[in-house]
Amino acid sequence: MTHNEDRQHWLKEGAIGLTVGVLYGTTNVMVGHPLDTIKTKMQAQKGFENTSMVRTCLTTVRTQGVIGLYRGCVPPLMGSGIYRSSQFAAFEAVYTYCDRYPSLKKEIPGTFGLQPRVLFAGALAATTRAIIESPLELAKIRRQTGQTYQLKGVYKGFTVTWIRTLGLMGTYFILIDSFRRNLPHLFSSPILGPFLLSGTAATLAWWLIWPFETMKSQVQGNFGKDMPLKQRLALTLRERGIVGSTVASDPEQSGVFLLMVRA
C-alpha cells in the first residue's frame, strides 16, 4: 500500500500484495456472502425491490434454508482471492515501478500530497480486477437470483463493472494513501489503527459508487429492460431518487469493516 516508507523491488511488493489479497478474498466470501446475497436480491430480483434487509433475509431462509444465503458462492470463492490479490499486486507493482519516473512522484496541488502514480496504479489495479471479476460476478448474481447463465455471455455488464471498480478502488487507494501520509501515528498503532482507517476508506468508497453497484447487479441479473447505462442511471434517479439509487447498501455496509481491512 502507498506510504512514505522505502519501497522494495517492485516484483517483491507485488508478491506481498498478491499474498494478502488471496487471504482477504477468501475471508471476504466466507464472511460476507450472505450479506451479498441479500444485497443482490434487493437490487436485482423481482419481488424483493421494496423489501427490507431483515425481511429479505427471513424470506430467503424460510423458502430456501440457510443454504440459500450461500447460493452462488462457488464462483467468488474460486475467483475472489484471484481478482482481489491481483488488484493489490498490480497496484503495489505499478506504484513501486513508478519510483523511477520523477514526474509521477510530483505532488498534485491542492490534494494534500497526492501523487499521480497513485491514480495511475489505482486505475490499472481496478482494470485488472474488473477483467477477472466481471464474469464471476455475473455467475454469482444469476445463481443468487435463481437464474442460469451461459459462457458466451459472461462479460455482460463489464462496462458498468469497470466504471464501478474504477471509482471503488480509486477512492480506496487515494484515501489510504492520504491516511498513511497524513495520519502516520494512527497507522503505527497495531491492528486498531489500520483496521479503522481501512474500514473507513472502504465504506466511503462503497457509498460513492453504490448507484453503479446497483446498476451492475441489475444488468447482470437481467432486471428490467436492456438500455444504455446513462439511461438506466437517469431512470433510477428519476424513479427512486438518490436514496433509491443506493438501495441495499445496508447489508453490504454492515460487514464492510470486517471485509475491507488491509493492514
Side-chain angles (χ1 to χ4, degrees), residues 163-241:
I163 294 172
R164 173 270 251 167
T165 310
L166 281 174
L168 173 65
M169 299 314 303
T171 301
Y172 178 75
F173 285 129
I174 288 171
L175 290 176
I176 288 296
D177 174 73
S178 180
F179 290 159
R180 277 187 177 263
R181 285 183 291 98
N182 297 296
L183 301 171
H185 57 289
L186 289 181
F187 258 100
S188 63
S189 174
I191 302 178
L192 186 59
F195 179 86
L196 292 176
L197 293 179
S198 186
T200 298
T203 301
L204 292 175
W206 274 114
W207 280 344
L208 178 66
I209 59 85
W210 203 259
F212 292 97
E213 172 69 13
T214 298
M215 290 193 296
K216 179 191 74 67
S217 295
Q218 291 178 347
V219 171
Q220 294 184 319
N222 289 324
F223 183 83
K225 299 179 180 179
D226 288 337
M227 63 184 73
L229 292 180
K230 184 177 180 180
Q231 183 179 347
R232 183 179 290 275
L233 178 60
L235 180 63
T236 300
L237 294 175
R238 184 170 64 250
E239 292 184 345
R240 302 183 179 182

Coordinates of all heavy atoms in Angstrom, one line a residue, residues 163-241:
I163 N -16.5 0.7 -14.6 CA -16.7 2.0 -14.0 C -16.9 2.0 -12.5 O -16.3 2.8 -11.8 CB -18.0 2.6 -14.7 CG1 -17.8 2.9 -16.2 CG2 -18.3 4.0 -14.0 CD1 -19.0 3.3 -16.9
R164 N -17.6 1.0 -12.0 CA -17.8 0.9 -10.6 C -16.5 0.6 -9.9 O -16.2 1.2 -8.8 CB -18.8 -0.3 -10.3 CG -19.0 -0.7 -8.9 CD -18.0 -1.7 -8.5 NE -18.6 -3.0 -8.3 CZ -17.9 -4.2 -8.2 NH1 -16.6 -4.2 -8.4 NH2 -18.5 -5.3 -8.0
T165 N -15.7 -0.3 -10.5 CA -14.4 -0.7 -9.9 C -13.4 0.5 -9.9 O -12.6 0.6 -9.0 CB -13.9 -1.9 -10.5 OG1 -14.9 -2.9 -10.6 CG2 -12.7 -2.5 -9.7
L166 N -13.4 1.2 -11.0 CA -12.5 2.4 -11.0 C -12.8 3.4 -9.9 O -11.9 3.9 -9.2 CB -12.7 3.1 -12.4 CG -12.0 2.5 -13.6 CD1 -12.4 3.3 -14.9 CD2 -10.4 2.6 -13.4
G167 N -14.1 3.6 -9.7 CA -14.5 4.5 -8.6 C -14.2 3.9 -7.2 O -13.7 4.6 -6.3
L168 N -14.5 2.7 -7.1 CA -14.3 2.0 -5.8 C -12.9 1.9 -5.4 O -12.5 2.4 -4.3 CB -14.9 0.6 -5.9 CG -14.7 -0.3 -4.6 CD1 -15.4 0.2 -3.4 CD2 -15.1 -1.8 -5.0
M169 N -12.0 1.3 -6.2 CA -10.6 1.1 -5.8 C -9.8 2.4 -5.9 O -8.9 2.6 -5.2 CB -10.0 0.0 -6.7 CG -10.7 -1.4 -6.6 SD -11.0 -1.9 -4.8 CE -9.4 -1.8 -4.1
G170 N -10.2 3.3 -6.9 CA -9.5 4.5 -7.0 C -9.7 5.3 -5.7 O -8.7 5.9 -5.1
T171 N -10.9 5.4 -5.2 CA -11.2 6.2 -4.0 C -10.5 5.5 -2.8 O -9.9 6.2 -2.0 CB -12.7 6.2 -3.7 OG1 -13.4 6.9 -4.8 CG2 -13.1 7.0 -2.5
Y172 N -10.6 4.2 -2.8 CA -10.0 3.5 -1.6 C -8.5 3.7 -1.6 O -7.9 4.1 -0.5 CB -10.2 2.0 -1.8 CG -9.6 1.1 -0.7 CD1 -10.1 1.1 0.6 CD2 -8.5 0.4 -1.0 CE1 -9.6 0.3 1.6 CE2 -7.9 -0.4 0.0 CZ -8.4 -0.4 1.3 OH -7.8 -1.2 2.3
F173 N -7.8 3.6 -2.7 CA -6.3 3.8 -2.7 C -5.9 5.2 -2.4 O -4.9 5.5 -1.7 CB -5.7 3.3 -4.0 CG -5.7 1.8 -4.2 CD1 -6.2 1.3 -5.4 CD2 -5.1 1.0 -3.3 CE1 -6.1 -0.1 -5.5 CE2 -5.0 -0.3 -3.4 CZ -5.5 -0.9 -4.6
I174 N -6.7 6.2 -2.9 CA -6.4 7.6 -2.6 C -6.6 7.9 -1.1 O -5.7 8.6 -0.5 CB -7.4 8.5 -3.5 CG1 -7.0 8.4 -4.9 CG2 -7.4 9.9 -2.9 CD1 -8.0 9.1 -5.8
L175 N -7.7 7.4 -0.5 CA -7.9 7.6 0.9 C -6.8 7.0 1.8 O -6.3 7.5 2.7 CB -9.3 7.1 1.3 CG -10.4 8.0 0.7 CD1 -11.8 7.3 1.1 CD2 -10.4 9.4 1.3
I176 N -6.5 5.7 1.4 CA -5.5 5.0 2.2 C -4.1 5.7 2.1 O -3.4 5.9 3.1 CB -5.3 3.5 1.8 CG1 -6.6 2.8 2.2 CG2 -4.1 2.9 2.3 CD1 -6.7 2.7 3.7
D177 N -3.8 6.1 0.9 CA -2.6 6.9 0.7 C -2.5 8.2 1.5 O -1.5 8.5 2.2 CB -2.4 7.2 -0.8 CG -1.2 8.1 -1.1 OD1 -0.1 7.6 -1.0 OD2 -1.4 9.3 -1.4
S178 N -3.7 8.9 1.5 CA -3.7 10.1 2.3 C -3.7 9.8 3.8 O -3.0 10.6 4.5 CB -5.1 10.8 2.0 OG -5.2 12.0 2.7
F179 N -4.3 8.8 4.3 CA -4.3 8.4 5.7 C -2.9 8.1 6.1 O -2.4 8.5 7.2 CB -5.2 7.3 6.0 CG -6.7 7.6 5.9 CD1 -7.6 6.6 5.6 CD2 -7.2 8.9 6.0 CE1 -9.0 6.9 5.6 CE2 -8.5 9.2 5.9 CZ -9.4 8.2 5.7
R180 N -2.2 7.3 5.3 CA -0.8 6.9 5.7 C 0.1 8.0 5.7 O 1.0 8.1 6.6 CB -0.3 5.8 4.6 CG -0.8 4.4 4.9 CD -0.1 3.4 4.0 NE -0.5 2.1 4.2 CZ 0.2 1.2 5.0 NH1 1.3 1.6 5.6 NH2 -0.2 0.0 5.2
R181 N 0.0 9.0 4.8 CA 0.9 10.1 4.8 C 0.6 11.2 5.9 O 1.5 11.8 6.5 CB 0.9 10.8 3.4 CG 1.7 10.0 2.4 CD 1.7 10.7 1.1 NE 0.4 10.7 0.4 CZ -0.4 11.8 0.5 NH1 -0.1 12.9 1.1 NH2 -1.6 11.7 -0.2
N182 N -0.7 11.4 6.1 CA -1.1 12.5 7.0 C -1.5 12.0 8.4 O -1.6 12.9 9.3 CB -2.3 13.2 6.4 CG -2.0 13.9 5.0 OD1 -1.1 14.8 5.0 ND2 -2.6 13.4 4.0
L183 N -1.7 10.7 8.6 CA -2.0 10.2 9.9 C -1.1 9.0 10.3 O -1.6 7.9 10.6 CB -3.5 9.8 10.0 CG -4.6 10.8 9.7 CD1 -5.9 10.2 9.6 CD2 -4.6 11.9 10.8
P184 N 0.2 9.2 10.2 CA 1.1 8.1 10.4 C 1.0 7.5 11.8 O 1.3 6.3 12.0 CB 2.5 8.7 10.1 CG 2.3 10.2 10.4 CD 0.9 10.5 9.9
H185 N 0.7 8.4 12.8 CA 0.6 7.9 14.2 C -0.5 6.9 14.4 O -0.4 6.0 15.2 CB 0.4 9.1 15.1 CG -0.8 9.9 14.8 ND1 -0.9 10.8 13.7 CD2 -2.0 10.0 15.5 CE1 -2.1 11.3 13.7 NE2 -2.8 10.9 14.8
L186 N -1.6 7.0 13.6 CA -2.7 6.1 13.7 C -2.3 4.8 13.0 O -2.6 3.7 13.5 CB -4.0 6.6 13.1 CG -4.6 7.8 13.8 CD1 -5.9 8.2 13.1 CD2 -5.0 7.3 15.2
F187 N -1.6 4.8 11.8 CA -1.2 3.6 11.2 C -0.2 2.9 11.9 O 0.0 1.6 11.7 CB -0.7 3.9 9.7 CG -1.7 3.7 8.7 CD1 -2.5 4.7 8.1 CD2 -2.0 2.4 8.3 CE1 -3.5 4.4 7.2 CE2 -2.9 2.1 7.3 CZ -3.7 3.1 6.8
S188 N 0.6 3.5 12.8 CA 1.6 2.9 13.5 C 1.0 2.1 14.7 O 1.7 1.3 15.3 CB 2.7 3.9 14.0 OG 2.1 4.8 14.9
S189 N -0.3 2.4 15.0 CA -0.9 1.7 16.1 C -1.3 0.3 15.7 O -1.9 0.1 14.6 CB -2.2 2.4 16.5 OG -3.0 1.7 17.4
P190 N -0.8 -0.8 16.4 CA -1.1 -2.1 16.0 C -2.5 -2.5 15.8 O -3.3 -2.2 16.7 CB -0.4 -3.0 17.1 CG 0.6 -2.0 17.7 CD -0.1 -0.7 17.6
I191 N -2.9 -3.0 14.7 CA -4.2 -3.6 14.4 C -5.3 -2.5 14.3 O -5.9 -2.3 13.3 CB -4.6 -4.7 15.4 CG1 -3.6 -5.8 15.3 CG2 -6.0 -5.3 15.0 CD1 -3.8 -7.0 16.3
L192 N -5.6 -1.9 15.5 CA -6.7 -1.0 15.5 C -6.6 0.2 14.6 O -7.6 0.5 13.9 CB -6.8 -0.4 17.0 CG -8.1 0.4 17.2 CD1 -9.4 -0.4 17.0 CD2 -8.1 0.9 18.7
G193 N -5.5 0.8 14.4 CA -5.3 1.9 13.5 C -5.6 1.6 12.1 O -6.5 2.1 11.4
P194 N -4.9 0.6 11.5 CA -5.1 0.2 10.1 C -6.6 -0.3 9.9 O -7.2 -0.1 8.9 CB -4.1 -0.9 9.9 CG -3.0 -0.6 10.9 CD -3.7 0.0 12.1
F195 N -7.1 -1.0 10.9 CA -8.4 -1.6 10.9 C -9.5 -0.5 10.7 O -10.3 -0.5 9.8 CB -8.7 -2.4 12.1 CG -10.1 -3.0 12.2 CD1 -10.4 -4.2 11.6 CD2 -11.2 -2.3 12.8 CE1 -11.6 -4.8 11.7 CE2 -12.4 -2.8 12.9 CZ -12.7 -4.1 12.3
L196 N -9.4 0.5 11.5 CA -10.4 1.6 11.4 C -10.2 2.5 10.2 O -11.2 2.8 9.5 CB -10.3 2.5 12.7 CG -10.7 1.9 14.0 CD1 -10.5 2.9 15.2 CD2 -12.2 1.5 14.0
L197 N -9.0 2.8 9.8 CA -8.7 3.7 8.7 C -9.1 2.9 7.4 O -9.7 3.5 6.5 CB -7.3 4.1 8.7 CG -6.9 5.1 9.8 CD1 -5.4 5.5 9.7 CD2 -7.8 6.3 9.8
S198 N -8.7 1.7 7.3 CA -9.1 0.9 6.1 C -10.6 0.7 5.9 O -11.1 0.8 4.9 CB -8.4 -0.4 6.1 OG -8.5 -1.1 4.9
G199 N -11.2 0.4 7.1 CA -12.7 0.3 7.1 C -13.4 1.6 6.7 O -14.3 1.6 5.9
T200 N -12.9 2.7 7.2 CA -13.4 4.0 6.8 C -13.3 4.3 5.3 O -14.2 4.7 4.7 CB -12.8 5.1 7.6 OG1 -13.0 4.9 9.0 CG2 -13.3 6.5 7.3
A201 N -12.1 4.0 4.8 CA -11.8 4.2 3.4 C -12.7 3.4 2.5 O -13.3 3.8 1.5 CB -10.4 4.0 3.1
A202 N -12.9 2.1 2.9 CA -13.7 1.2 2.1 C -15.2 1.6 2.2 O -15.9 1.6 1.1 CB -13.6 -0.2 2.7
T203 N -15.7 2.0 3.3 CA -17.1 2.4 3.5 C -17.4 3.7 2.6 O -18.4 3.7 1.9 CB -17.4 2.7 4.9 OG1 -17.2 1.5 5.7 CG2 -18.9 3.1 5.1
L204 N -16.5 4.7 2.7 CA -16.7 5.9 1.9 C -16.7 5.6 0.4 O -17.4 6.1 -0.4 CB -15.6 6.9 2.3 CG -15.7 7.5 3.7 CD1 -14.5 8.4 4.0 CD2 -17.0 8.3 3.9
A205 N -15.8 4.7 0.0 CA -15.6 4.3 -1.4 C -16.9 3.6 -1.9 O -17.4 3.9 -3.0 CB -14.4 3.4 -1.6
W206 N -17.4 2.7 -1.1 CA -18.7 2.0 -1.5 C -19.8 2.9 -1.6 O -20.7 2.9 -2.5 CB -19.0 0.9 -0.5 CG -18.3 -0.4 -0.8 CD1 -17.4 -1.1 0.0 CD2 -18.5 -1.3 -1.9 NE1 -17.0 -2.2 -0.6 CE2 -17.7 -2.4 -1.8 CE3 -19.4 -1.2 -3.0 CZ2 -17.7 -3.4 -2.7 CZ3 -19.4 -2.2 -3.9 CH2 -18.5 -3.3 -3.8
W207 N -20.0 3.8 -0.6 CA -21.1 4.8 -0.7 C -21.0 5.6 -1.9 O -22.0 5.9 -2.6 CB -21.0 5.7 0.6 CG -21.6 5.1 1.8 CD1 -22.4 4.0 1.8 CD2 -21.5 5.6 3.1 NE1 -22.8 3.7 3.1 CE2 -22.2 4.7 4.0 CE3 -20.7 6.6 3.7 CZ2 -22.2 4.8 5.3 CZ3 -20.8 6.7 5.1 CH2 -21.5 5.8 5.9
L208 N -19.8 6.0 -2.3 CA -19.6 6.9 -3.5 C -20.1 6.2 -4.8 O -20.7 6.8 -5.6 CB -18.1 7.3 -3.6 CG -17.8 8.1 -4.8 CD1 -18.5 9.5 -4.7 CD2 -16.3 8.3 -4.9
I209 N -19.8 4.9 -4.9 CA -20.1 4.2 -6.2 C -21.3 3.4 -6.2 O -21.6 2.7 -7.1 CB -18.9 3.3 -6.6 CG1 -18.5 2.3 -5.5 CG2 -17.7 4.2 -6.9 CD1 -19.3 1.0 -5.6
W210 N -22.1 3.4 -5.1 CA -23.2 2.5 -4.9 C -24.2 2.5 -6.0 O -24.8 1.4 -6.4 CB -23.9 2.6 -3.6 CG -24.6 1.3 -3.2 CD1 -25.9 1.1 -3.3 CD2 -24.0 0.2 -2.7 NE1 -26.2 -0.2 -2.9 CE2 -25.0 -0.8 -2.5 CE3 -22.7 -0.2 -2.4 CZ2 -24.7 -2.1 -2.0 CZ3 -22.4 -1.5 -1.9 CH2 -23.4 -2.4 -1.7
P211 N -24.6 3.6 -6.6 CA -25.5 3.6 -7.7 C -25.0 2.7 -8.9 O -25.8 2.0 -9.5 CB -25.6 5.1 -8.2 CG -25.3 5.8 -6.9 CD -24.3 5.0 -6.2
F212 N -23.7 2.7 -9.1 CA -23.1 1.8 -10.2 C -23.1 0.3 -9.8 O -23.3 -0.5 -10.6 CB -21.7 2.3 -10.5 CG -21.7 3.6 -11.2 CD1 -21.4 4.8 -10.4 CD2 -21.9 3.8 -12.5 CE1 -21.4 6.0 -11.0 CE2 -21.9 5.0 -13.1 CZ -21.7 6.1 -12.4
E213 N -23.0 0.1 -8.5 CA -23.1 -1.3 -8.0 C -24.5 -1.8 -8.2 O -24.8 -3.0 -8.6 CB -22.7 -1.4 -6.5 CG -23.0 -2.7 -5.8 CD -22.1 -3.8 -6.3 OE1 -21.1 -3.5 -7.0 OE2 -22.4 -5.0 -6.0
T214 N -25.5 -0.9 -7.9 CA -26.9 -1.3 -8.1 C -27.2 -1.6 -9.6 O -27.8 -2.6 -10.0 CB -27.9 -0.2 -7.7 OG1 -27.7 0.0 -6.3 CG2 -29.3 -0.5 -7.9
M215 N -26.7 -0.7 -10.5 CA -26.9 -0.9 -11.9 C -26.2 -2.2 -12.4 O -26.7 -2.9 -13.3 CB -26.4 0.3 -12.7 CG -27.2 1.5 -12.5 SD -26.8 2.8 -13.7 CE -25.2 3.2 -13.3
K216 N -25.0 -2.5 -11.9 CA -24.3 -3.7 -12.2 C -25.1 -4.9 -11.9 O -25.2 -5.8 -12.7 CB -22.9 -3.8 -11.5 CG -22.1 -5.0 -11.8 CD -20.9 -5.1 -10.9 CE -21.3 -5.6 -9.5 NZ -21.9 -7.0 -9.5
S217 N -25.7 -5.0 -10.7 CA -26.5 -6.1 -10.3 C -27.7 -6.2 -11.2 O -28.1 -7.3 -11.6 CB -26.9 -5.9 -8.9 OG -25.8 -6.0 -8.0
Q218 N -28.3 -5.1 -11.6 CA -29.5 -5.1 -12.5 C -29.2 -5.6 -13.9 O -29.9 -6.4 -14.4 CB -30.1 -3.8 -12.5 CG -30.8 -3.3 -11.2 CD -31.3 -1.9 -11.3 OE1 -31.1 -1.2 -12.2 NE2 -32.1 -1.6 -10.3
V219 N -28.1 -5.1 -14.4 CA -27.7 -5.5 -15.8 C -27.3 -7.0 -15.8 O -27.8 -7.8 -16.7 CB -26.5 -4.7 -16.3 CG1 -25.9 -5.2 -17.6 CG2 -26.9 -3.2 -16.4
Q220 N -26.5 -7.4 -14.9 CA -26.0 -8.8 -14.9 C -27.1 -9.8 -14.4 O -27.1 -11.0 -14.7 CB -24.8 -9.0 -14.0 CG -23.6 -8.3 -14.5 CD -22.3 -8.5 -13.7 OE1 -22.4 -8.5 -12.5 NE2 -21.2 -8.7 -14.4
G221 N -28.1 -9.3 -13.7 CA -29.2 -10.1 -13.2 C -30.4 -10.0 -14.1 O -31.5 -10.5 -13.7
N222 N -30.3 -9.4 -15.3 CA -31.4 -9.3 -16.2 C -32.7 -8.7 -15.6 O -33.8 -9.1 -15.9 CB -31.8 -10.7 -16.8 CG -30.8 -11.2 -17.7 OD1 -30.1 -10.5 -18.5 ND2 -30.5 -12.5 -17.7
F223 N -32.4 -7.6 -14.8 CA -33.5 -7.0 -14.1 C -34.0 -5.8 -15.0 O -33.2 -4.9 -15.3 CB -33.1 -6.5 -12.7 CG -34.2 -5.8 -11.9 CD1 -35.1 -6.6 -11.2 CD2 -34.4 -4.4 -11.9 CE1 -36.1 -6.0 -10.5 CE2 -35.4 -3.8 -11.2 CZ -36.2 -4.6 -10.5
G224 N -35.2 -5.8 -15.4 CA -35.8 -4.7 -16.2 C -35.3 -4.8 -17.7 O -34.7 -5.8 -18.1
K225 N -35.6 -3.8 -18.5 CA -35.2 -3.8 -19.9 C -33.8 -3.5 -20.1 O -33.2 -2.7 -19.3 CB -36.1 -2.9 -20.7 CG -37.6 -3.2 -20.6 CD -38.4 -2.1 -21.4 CE -39.9 -2.4 -21.3 NZ -40.7 -1.4 -22.1
D226 N -33.2 -4.0 -21.2 CA -31.8 -3.6 -21.6 C -31.9 -2.1 -22.1 O -32.8 -1.7 -22.8 CB -31.3 -4.5 -22.7 CG -30.9 -5.8 -22.2 OD1 -30.7 -6.0 -21.0 OD2 -30.9 -6.8 -23.0
M227 N -30.9 -1.3 -21.6 CA -30.8 0.1 -22.0 C -29.4 0.6 -21.8 O -28.7 0.0 -21.0 CB -31.8 0.9 -21.2 CG -31.6 0.9 -19.7 SD -32.8 1.8 -18.7 CE -34.2 0.6 -18.8
P228 N -29.0 1.7 -22.4 CA -27.7 2.3 -22.2 C -27.6 2.6 -20.7 O -28.5 3.0 -20.0 CB -27.7 3.5 -23.1 CG -28.7 3.2 -24.1 CD -29.8 2.4 -23.5
L229 N -26.3 2.6 -20.2 CA -26.1 2.9 -18.8 C -26.5 4.3 -18.4 O -27.1 4.5 -17.3 CB -24.6 2.7 -18.5 CG -24.0 1.3 -18.6 CD1 -22.6 1.3 -18.2 CD2 -24.8 0.4 -17.6
K230 N -26.3 5.3 -19.3 CA -26.7 6.6 -19.0 C -28.2 6.7 -18.8 O -28.7 7.4 -17.8 CB -26.3 7.6 -20.1 CG -26.6 9.0 -19.8 CD -26.0 9.9 -20.9 CE -26.3 11.4 -20.7 NZ -25.8 12.2 -21.8
Q231 N -29.0 6.0 -19.6 CA -30.4 6.0 -19.5 C -30.9 5.2 -18.2 O -31.8 5.6 -17.6 CB -31.0 5.3 -20.7 CG -32.5 5.3 -20.8 CD -33.1 4.7 -22.0 OE1 -32.4 4.4 -23.0 NE2 -34.4 4.4 -22.0
R232 N -30.2 4.1 -17.9 CA -30.5 3.4 -16.7 C -30.3 4.2 -15.5 O -31.1 4.2 -14.5 CB -29.7 2.1 -16.7 CG -30.1 1.2 -15.5 CD -29.3 -0.1 -15.5 NE -29.6 -1.0 -16.6 CZ -30.6 -1.9 -16.5 NH1 -31.4 -2.0 -15.4 NH2 -30.9 -2.7 -17.5
L233 N -29.2 4.9 -15.4 CA -28.9 5.7 -14.3 C -29.9 6.8 -14.1 O -30.4 7.1 -13.0 CB -27.5 6.4 -14.4 CG -27.0 7.3 -13.3 CD1 -27.0 6.6 -11.9 CD2 -25.7 7.9 -13.6
A234 N -30.3 7.5 -15.2 CA -31.3 8.6 -15.2 C -32.6 8.0 -14.8 O -33.3 8.7 -14.0 CB -31.4 9.2 -16.6
L235 N -33.0 6.8 -15.2 CA -34.2 6.2 -14.9 C -34.3 5.9 -13.4 O -35.3 6.2 -12.7 CB -34.5 4.9 -15.7 CG -35.8 4.2 -15.4 CD1 -37.0 5.0 -15.7 CD2 -35.8 2.9 -16.2
T236 N -33.2 5.4 -12.9 CA -33.1 5.0 -11.4 C -33.2 6.3 -10.6 O -34.0 6.3 -9.6 CB -31.8 4.3 -11.1 OG1 -31.7 3.1 -11.9 CG2 -31.7 3.9 -9.6
L237 N -32.5 7.3 -10.9 CA -32.6 8.6 -10.2 C -33.9 9.2 -10.3 O -34.4 9.8 -9.3 CB -31.5 9.5 -10.7 CG -30.0 9.1 -10.4 CD1 -29.1 10.1 -11.1 CD2 -29.8 9.0 -8.9
R238 N -34.6 9.1 -11.4 CA -35.9 9.7 -11.6 C -37.0 9.0 -10.8 O -37.9 9.6 -10.2 CB -36.2 9.8 -13.1 CG -37.6 10.5 -13.4 CD -37.8 10.7 -14.9 NE -37.9 9.5 -15.6 CZ -37.0 9.0 -16.5 NH1 -35.8 9.7 -16.7 NH2 -37.2 7.9 -17.1
E239 N -36.9 7.6 -10.9 CA -37.9 6.8 -10.2 C -37.7 6.7 -8.7 O -38.7 6.6 -7.9 CB -38.0 5.5 -10.8 CG -38.5 5.5 -12.3 CD -38.6 4.1 -12.8 OE1 -38.1 3.1 -12.2 OE2 -39.3 3.9 -13.9
R240 N -36.4 6.6 -8.3 CA -36.2 6.4 -6.9 C -35.4 7.5 -6.1 O -35.4 7.5 -4.9 CB -35.3 5.1 -6.7 CG -36.0 3.9 -7.4 CD -35.1 2.6 -7.1 NE -35.7 1.4 -7.7 CZ -35.1 0.2 -7.6 NH1 -34.0 0.1 -7.0 NH2 -35.7 -0.8 -8.1
G241 N -34.8 8.4 -6.9 CA -34.1 9.5 -6.3 C -32.7 8.9 -5.8 O -32.3 7.8 -6.1

